[in-house]
Amino acid sequence: MKQVFTRRSATMLLFLAVAFPESLLGQQTSDRLTLYFSEVRAGKNPAIPNEVLKADHAKAVLTALATYQSDTLASVRLKVYTIEHRLGHESKQGAVRQVAVDKLVQGARDKDSGNAGLALDYLTTFGKDDFTAASKDSLRNILRTNPAHIDQVFKLIGFLELADVKETIRPYTLAGNPQAVRWAALVSLARMNDLPAINEVMRRVRKLPVNDDVIYKIFPDLVYTRHTEAIRYMVEVLYSDEKNCLSADAEREEPIPCAYRIMEQLAPIIDGYPLPLDESGDIKTNDYQAALKKVREWFSKHRNYTVLRDRF
């Protein structure tokens, strides 16, 4: 009898999880979620309740959010994407992260352009393993609809290395498309090791002067490509002592070598990087001159360094 009861109980719990996900949230969490979205609908901007963000509630909350994700108010859907991102990004469980990613990919179809863009931005914070085959297929389908944020879709597809859609992207690199779209298509293809694309990217980049504008606007895309030639060029510039950039202190701007910025940009993507990183991937140092010297010496000794490709 005890075994039969246990099986029936398990079956009932499974039924409740599918049919009534809020039943597994706990009454307090469910009430907090309801109250939170009631305030959002009223035009307020409440903080997300801590109860809703608890790790042990993540799966149930993600399921319960489906109702709110189909809400007619864009402001409600926007908050849904934020909660999904928080739950997924902070979870140590792969299954939870995958559910969050699947839901955010759905959000990339949001009829509100701002919401769709936010969902796409959130997706860039996840790793490759967090994208299921279904979520990848959804991104392929979104690409075919020529979405408002097609440049962001290009980059996600490049990051995931969905090489089967390379020829769908390639026409967007041609004249007649907006410059930002052409560039995003090129770097996306470069991320997928497309030789004509990386050649065109580097042809353009090498013609530009190295200064703050290029370091902040162009070099992050070189990092994104993870391509050997692009990273090698960044390391080449890392050795320059020309003071073509400005210090970050707005009240006391001084010319400094752009190498300091490049040192920071390379840190999260090089395996075994010689400087410690904080949780956000930024370097931790109080002596930038010594840090730059250490990085230069490291690259001189490790010419066959490995570029990490598991993150966006």
Side-chain angles (χ1 to χ4, degrees):
M1 281 296 289
K2 185 175 182 181
Q3 185 177 9
V4 172
F5 176 77
T6 301
R7 287 177 178 173
R8 286 178 178 174
S9 298
T11 301
M12 181 58 71
L13 283 173
L14 179 60
F15 170 76
L16 289 172
V18 174
F20 305 103
E22 65 275 8
S23 65
L24 297 185
L25 282 177
Q27 191 61 49
Q28 185 180 34
T29 306
S30 181
D31 289 346
R32 293 276 177 83
L33 196 62
T34 301
L35 177 61
Y36 173 77
F37 281 109
S38 294
E39 292 181 347
V40 173
R41 286 194 186 95
K44 299 178 182 179
N45 187 29
I48 301 172
N50 291 331
E51 189 75 20
V52 171
L53 296 175
K54 285 187 176 179
D56 53 349
H57 293 165
K59 288 183 180 179
V61 170
L62 285 170
T63 302
L65 285 173
T67 299
Y68 302 101
Q69 187 158 335
S70 61
D71 199 278
T72 56
L73 286 181
S75 58
V76 170
R77 300 194 303 274
L78 182 145
K79 296 298 184 182
V80 169
Y81 304 143
T82 299
I83 295 174
E84 289 169 348
H85 174 248
R86 289 280 302 274
L87 289 172
H89 191 254
E90 294 172 11
S91 178
K92 296 180 180 179
Q93 298 181 41
V96 170
R97 293 196 301 274
Q98 288 182 346
V99 170
V101 165
D102 284 344
K103 288 183 172 294
L104 287 169
V105 170
Q106 294 173 24
R109 299 177 180 271
D110 197 297
K111 58 186 178 182
D112 181 274
S113 176
N115 281 2
L118 181 68
L120 288 166
D121 279 341
Y122 283 152
L123 286 169
T124 66
T125 67
F126 290 89
K128 280 186 177 180
D129 292 343
D130 299 328
F131 288 77
T132 64
S135 63
K136 292 176 183 178
D137 281 342
S138 292
L139 283 171
R140 291 183 177 98
N141 291 332
I142 290 171
L143 174 63
R144 297 186 186 103
T145 67
N146 194 27
H149 300 281
I150 196 168
D151 53 336
Q152 292 174 276
V153 177
F154 286 157
K155 287 189 173 182
L156 275 170
I157 286 174
F159 156 58
L160 296 170
E161 299 187 72
L162 307 183
D164 56 294
V165 295
K166 283 172 64 174
E167 298 313 313
T168 303
I169 295 175
R170 197 177 306 280
Y172 289 94
T173 67
L174 304 177
N177 294 291
Q179 186 59 43
V181 170
R182 293 180 65 186
W183 178 252
L186 279 170
V187 296
S188 169
L189 291 171
R191 179 68 179 255
M192 294 187 277
N193 294 311
D194 185 83
L195 185 58
I198 190 62
N199 286 344
E200 178 61 16
V201 166
M202 296 312 301
R203 184 189 70 80
R204 295 186 185 192
V205 171
R206 288 184 179 277
K207 290 165 60 176
L208 299 173
V210 178
N211 54 31
D212 273 328
D213 283 343
V214 171
I215 291 294
Y216 283 115
K217 296 178 182 178
I218 304 298
F219 273 36
D221 283 331
L222 295 186
V223 171
Y224 161 83
T225 69
R226 301 296 200 276
H227 197 280
T228 302
E229 187 176 348
I231 305 307
R232 186 185 298 129
Y233 175 66
M234 292 182 68
V235 173
E236 176 186 321
V237 179
L238 179 77
Y239 284 90
S240 173
D241 287 319
E242 292 185 28
K243 297 181 178 181
N244 295 324
C245 289
L246 295 174
S247 60
D249 188 347
E251 295 182 359
R252 190 182 174 186
E253 287 186 340
E254 294 181 357
I256 61 171
C258 296
Y260 292 119
R261 301 277 181 266
I262 298 171
M263 174 179 71
E264 295 175 322
Q265 291 173 334
L266 291 172
I269 69 162
I270 303 296
D271 189 32
Y273 205 69
L275 300 179
L277 308 179
D278 60 25
E279 292 183 359
S280 64
D282 296 325
I283 63 172
K284 294 191 294 186
T285 183
N286 293 320
D287 188 338
Y288 270 73
Q289 285 187 332
L292 179 58
K293 180 181 178 181
K294 186 174 184 178
V295 169
R296 285 173 170 174
E297 291 175 350
W298 187 89
F299 275 111
S300 296
K301 296 176 182 177
H302 298 82
R303 298 190 181 278
N304 295 320
Y305 53 85
T306 299
V307 178
L308 303 173
R309 302 177 63 88
D310 59 328
R311 309 299 298 186
F312 184 88

